[in-house]
Amino acid sequence: MTSPSGSTVDEARAFLDANPDIEAFDIVLTDANGVGRGKIIRRHELMGLYEGGRHLPISILGLDITGEDVHETGLIWDSGDGDLRAWPIPGTLKPMHATSPARGQLLMSMYHLDGAPMTSDPRLALQRQVDKLAAKGLHPAGAFELEFFLLSNERDGDGKVQPARAVLDGRVSGKTEVYSVDHLHGMEPLFSDIYAAAKLQGIPAETVISEYAPGQYELTLRYRKDVMQAADDLIMLKRIVRMQARRHGVTACFMAKPIEKYAGSGMHFHASLLDNDGNNVFTEAKEGEWQPLLLNAIGGLAATMAESMLVFAPHANSWRRFVSQSYAPVAPTWGVNNRSVALRVPAGDAKNRRIEHRPSGVDANPYLVAATILAGISKGLDEQLDPGPETSGNGYEQAEGTESVMPPDWRSAIEAAKGSEFLREALGHDLHRTFTAIKESEYLRVARTVSELDYHLYLHEV
């Protein structure tokens, strides 16, 4: 049958002809948590996959972070756990760096057997928001920033994670090396492999910096005029970083807050809108006078932030990142060239005017993040929402009094998301049910777990 994703057998045939050494392929479907689920297939199976898709169980999209079924999603026994059909995403068939024997990688999306989109697939939720904006003559562009930790495979004497030794010479640094170029040299072999792998897959990985905590780094990605490609870039780059770190004997950590006394890792998303002629509609006509469409977009994002926080901070650990003075935003504020706000308008050339959305942790699903942000922008434009006054100076201090607006914790965020009509429309009814059911199930698992901290605080005291 004709591929509903737009993939063609010609792409597969050309790839096989150009890469005669590749023996197998990772086929990867991204679930609600951003986890890659799928299979490794052999070379001779690739053409059949492009000709007829690949059957995968519907329940693959109804799993929690541990891989357990969440029956409340309606994707398990309510449907008999039947098979649907996954199809290749055009342009994502790529070789993988330094594999032996040589392997390739292919991202997939899920469809019903008749070719209709499977509406609990996160990538298709983003496509739906892109299509809605396109109907208005607007085309979202953007890029993600990837922050992460490189950790030792061994814990310290207290059982805590610790920064990895330099892969070049084994040197240990226990202090904040923010923006230290010399510190980066110790990880140069690893980053060289990351860049080589990204180049092989056509991912525009650019600047690397040593971030605000020991063992923390950031990789930036070049701006894409196609926001779908920007989200695919982030998915593939995370896989590359994790794989190459493992090959160099260290652990790439994408938890939002792995080390309690240091800043966590964000996944900032830069977004703008282009018209049908490719012009940035956020660009101001006169210096010092913001484009009304930019302000309306910020207004939509601010108005919908509280009920969307479960998308931006989806796990129990995510909420440990939101601490004052931690470079993680704590209120729906906006400002210009100000890193203490949630919605930042970066300084620079007006032609490149964009919104930097800062609440998301690196543990969030980029497809869901982008879909929710685009839906918020669309709401702001449709309703001409006013973002309120710009925040100047310390946005953390000015955030006081917003506690009643923003959910204070994971449980509150789950309840806000469950009751949000905006988020239901942003994700689609089926994915909204799937996502919130998974999060509620994970919350209950965490809530009933007796931790070492419980024993430390209460075992001999109460």
Side-chain angles (χ1 to χ4, degrees):
M1 63 181 292
T2 301
S3 169
S5 71
S7 60
T8 67
V9 294
D10 291 341
E11 180 183 7
R13 188 177 295 114
F15 185 90
L16 292 173
D17 290 345
N19 297 274
D21 59 324
I22 289 183
E23 298 184 11
F25 298 87
D26 292 7
I27 62 171
V28 183
L29 178 74
T30 303
D31 73 6
N33 274 315
V35 176
R37 312 276 182 187
K39 304 180 178 184
I40 298 178
I41 65 170
R42 306 302 296 169
R43 179 184 178 90
H44 69 270
E45 298 178 86
L46 186 69
M47 287 302 296
L49 185 150
Y50 271 81
E51 289 166 355
R54 185 78 179 212
H55 285 126
L56 290 174
I58 188 174
S59 59
I60 202 171
L61 292 174
L63 304 176
D64 69 11
I65 194 66
T66 69
E68 295 286 344
D69 290 337
V70 178
H71 298 282
E72 292 79 5
T73 62
L75 301 179
I76 317 299
W77 300 122
D78 290 12
S79 59
D81 196 15
D83 281 345
L84 297 185
R85 190 172 287 165
W87 288 90
I89 296 171
T92 66
L93 179 59
K94 302 290 184 181
M96 297 169 69
H97 175 65
T99 52
S100 181
R103 293 209 319 275
Q105 175 182 278
L106 178 62
L107 300 187
M108 309 286 285
S109 275
M110 190 78 94
Y111 294 82
H112 290 282
L113 298 181
D114 63 0
M118 200 289 167
T119 47
S120 284
D121 184 318
R123 191 178 188 278
L124 295 179
L126 174 55
Q127 185 64 62
R128 178 170 165 265
Q129 292 300 327
V130 170
D131 293 343
K132 287 177 68 175
L133 283 167
K136 303 174 185 178
L138 297 170
H139 309 279
F144 287 92
E145 297 175 5
L146 182 66
E147 295 180 0
F148 57 95
F149 281 80
L150 294 175
L151 302 176
S152 169
N153 292 339
E154 293 77 37
R155 305 286 181 90
D156 66 16
D158 296 322
K160 303 285 189 179
V161 297
Q162 57 186 334
R165 292 176 176 270
V167 299
L168 183 65
D169 56 12
R171 180 181 170 188
V172 179
S173 174
K175 61 181 184 296
T176 299
E177 303 273 7
V178 63
Y179 278 82
S180 169
V181 177
D182 289 344
H183 176 67
L184 294 174
H185 293 169
M187 292 295 180
E188 189 274 335
L190 169 54
F191 282 112
S192 291
D193 274 337
I194 289 172
Y195 281 124
K199 182 178 181 181
L200 198 60
Q201 295 191 3
I203 300 170
E206 296 193 326
T207 305
V208 61
I209 66 170
S210 179
E211 257 291 356
Y212 198 68
Q216 188 183 33
Y217 302 87
E218 178 186 276
L219 271 169
T220 62
L221 287 156
R222 189 183 312 144
Y223 216 71
R224 293 283 202 181
K225 291 186 177 180
D226 179 354
V227 79
M228 296 296 299
Q229 196 170 33
D232 290 340
D233 285 345
L234 198 284
I235 289 288
M236 294 193 292
L237 185 58
K238 284 183 73 172
R239 285 180 56 79
I240 285 172
V241 171
R242 183 178 283 116
M243 178 182 294
Q244 297 308 320
R246 190 174 184 182
R247 291 182 181 280
H248 283 271
V250 299
T251 296
C253 175
F254 299 106
M255 290 173 63
K257 183 80 166 177
I259 302 176
E260 59 194 40
K261 62 182 179 179
Y262 292 110
S265 294
M267 188 179 69
H268 304 163
F269 180 51
H270 295 251
S272 59
L273 294 177
L274 309 180
D275 63 20
N276 288 332
D277 295 322
N279 301 309
N280 184 353
V281 302
F282 289 164
T283 297
E284 59 268 24
K286 183 179 179 181
E287 185 176 352
E289 295 181 4
W290 296 118
Q291 167 61 248
L293 292 178
L294 173 69
L295 296 177
N296 293 156
I298 294 172
L301 293 173
T304 57
M305 188 176 295
E307 58 198 303
S308 305
M309 280 304 299
L310 186 63
V311 170
F312 310 142
H315 306 291
N317 179 260
S318 308
W319 290 83
R320 298 190 172 98
R321 174 172 162 259
F322 294 100
V323 179
S324 182
Q325 313 273 340
S326 65
Y327 289 96
V330 293
T333 52
W334 76 279
V336 181
N337 197 23
N338 186 336
R339 286 184 170 83
S340 66
V341 298
L343 304 168
R344 174 177 176 251
V345 180
D349 192 332
K351 295 193 299 295
N352 301 322
R353 191 66 67 220
R354 63 193 186 276
I355 301 167
E356 180 187 5
H357 187 277
R358 297 173 56 80
S360 297
V362 74
D363 56 343
N365 183 331
Y367 295 130
L368 299 189
V369 168
T372 304
I373 289 171
L374 294 186
I377 289 174
S378 187
K379 178 181 175 69
L381 299 183
D382 290 345
E383 300 179 17
Q384 297 184 341
L385 296 180
D386 185 341
E390 174 190 343
T391 297
S392 299
N394 190 333
Y396 298 117
E397 291 181 352
Q398 298 174 48
E400 294 181 7
T402 63
E403 292 84 355
S404 61
V405 177
M406 298 290 284
D409 52 37
W410 191 29
R411 176 75 239 180
S412 301
I414 292 171
E415 291 303 316
K418 285 172 60 179
S420 171
E421 189 59 35
F422 163 77
L423 199 60
R424 188 173 287 106
E425 290 299 318
L427 302 182
H429 287 234
D430 291 337
L431 181 53
H432 178 266
R433 181 193 65 242
T434 297
F435 181 63
T436 54
I438 289 170
K439 293 297 108 183
E440 192 155 40
S441 174
E442 290 173 354
Y443 170 81
L444 293 174
R445 176 189 288 261
V446 172
R448 66 174 175 256
T449 299
V450 181
S451 69
E452 283 299 320
L453 180 61
D454 286 301
Y455 295 128
H456 175 71
L457 293 177
Y458 310 122
L459 180 62
H460 300 293
E461 308 299 333
V462 296

